[in-house]
Amino acid sequence: MQASKNDLLIDTLCNRLYYRVRMYRYQLGMASPRAKRAFREHSHIIEAIEAGDGELAELLMRRHIRASRNNIEKKLTTET
């Protein structure tokens, strides 16, 4: 994120969103099956960025965020 030199992206992901995500990671646990999939998703996103394929990186990131959101929603609705 820092390497992007995009102030909005850095502020959003490093400041505004980071602490919320951290809270959910703590509550849902990093040893879950979702965590393993998330690490693989991160690897694919990084590979796309390294290959200079911004379109693929964006697509993969959007999918990753959607899967993470769905996982959080599922966990929150099954616990109530």
Side-chain angles (χ1 to χ4, degrees):
M1 293 169 281
Q2 299 290 345
S4 73
K5 304 213 185 301
N6 179 323
D7 291 336
L8 178 60
L9 179 68
I10 293 167
D11 183 50
T12 300
L13 297 179
C14 295
N15 297 326
R16 297 178 189 194
L17 188 59
Y18 175 78
Y19 295 102
R20 290 183 182 137
V21 170
R22 188 171 138 187
M23 176 185 67
Y24 287 116
R25 282 183 184 154
Y26 178 77
Q27 289 177 342
L28 301 176
M30 287 302 295
S32 71
R34 172 68 197 136
K36 291 177 184 176
R37 284 192 304 274
F39 285 124
R40 282 194 305 273
E41 291 166 6
H42 287 180
S43 294
H44 295 300
I45 293 164
I46 291 168
E47 288 170 8
I49 293 168
E50 289 175 339
D53 192 340
E55 191 173 330
L56 178 59
E58 177 185 1
L59 173 70
L60 294 172
M61 191 68 215
R62 288 181 184 277
R63 285 181 182 170
H64 170 68
I65 292 169
R66 186 179 322 115
S68 296
R69 183 188 68 228
N70 289 344
N71 183 62
I72 291 168
E73 289 173 353
K74 180 181 172 187
K75 292 282 188 180
L76 292 177
T77 57
T78 58
E79 292 179 5
T80 56

